[in-house]
Amino acid sequence: MALWDRFKESASTMQTQLMAKKNDLKSGAFRDASMAMCALVAAADGSVDPSERQRVAQLIAANEVLRNFPADDLRRRFEDNIGKLTTDFAFGKVSVLQEIAKAKKKPAEARAVVQIGIVIGGADGDFDQDERAVVREACYALDLPPHEFDL
């Protein structure tokens, strides 16, 4: 099986797992960590162009699991994190990883945050090395082993 086919299958499996846990993923920590993860993946290469920003915002709005939260609230949190990352990527990344780490207390939420990062990263058909690297860093912030997610 080609690498891309394996990745598509993995992303699909992760989305299915997220849907199964939807009713358990309603905390503020999960919401904040998810939006931080989405921003981190969008800015993984150090910049975010307007089309990428719009695409990720659409993916957030379309994600069933994230519909547990008001769309305007999610958008505001995503944009706040993007602002931190685009102002000063290295400093912003520290702040965003701290937001992600909020989900560490609940392992199911922590795993779901990583899964959202992978789904967002692969949505354009290319889960590139920069995206994989920031999701791997998020795993460390959440005390999760990256190999659990094939990272």
Side-chain angles (χ1 to χ4, degrees):
M1 184 183 292
L3 179 62
W4 172 239
D5 289 336
R6 280 199 329 258
F7 174 74
K8 282 195 314 191
E9 185 178 301
S10 175
S12 175
T13 300
M14 287 189 188
Q15 185 60 36
T16 302
Q17 290 170 352
L18 283 169
M19 284 302 299
K21 295 182 242 169
K22 179 181 179 182
N23 292 330
D24 299 328
L25 301 173
K26 294 183 177 181
S27 77
F30 171 73
R31 175 201 61 211
D32 295 352
S34 295
M35 291 305 94
M37 176 64 90
C38 289
L40 187 60
V41 171
D45 63 359
S47 67
V48 183
D49 64 51
S51 66
E52 187 173 26
R53 192 180 214 142
Q54 182 62 35
R55 181 180 51 79
V56 173
Q58 288 171 340
L59 289 168
I60 291 168
N63 189 293
E64 277 296 319
V65 175
L66 295 174
R67 288 191 181 158
N68 285 333
F69 308 101
D72 289 345
D73 187 31
L74 294 177
R75 179 177 293 273
R76 182 181 57 75
R77 291 173 192 282
F78 172 70
E79 291 294 337
D80 286 351
N81 285 307
I82 287 290
K84 291 175 189 175
L85 291 162
T86 55
T87 300
D88 180 338
F89 184 73
F91 188 70
K93 187 164 82 165
V94 170
S95 175
V96 169
L97 285 168
Q98 287 173 340
E99 280 292 305
I100 290 169
K102 287 181 177 181
K104 182 175 13 181
K105 293 176 186 155
K106 295 183 180 175
E109 288 185 359
R111 283 181 177 77
V113 169
V114 173
Q115 290 170 329
I116 283 175
I118 293 169
V119 168
I120 295 292
D124 64 355
D126 179 29
F127 190 39
D128 66 39
Q129 290 305 313
D130 291 330
E131 292 166 338
R132 293 175 74 84
V134 296
V135 174
R136 194 176 309 112
E137 285 184 70
C139 285
Y140 294 128
L142 292 163
D143 291 337
L144 294 173
H147 69 269
E148 183 178 326
F149 304 94
D150 292 328
L151 295 171

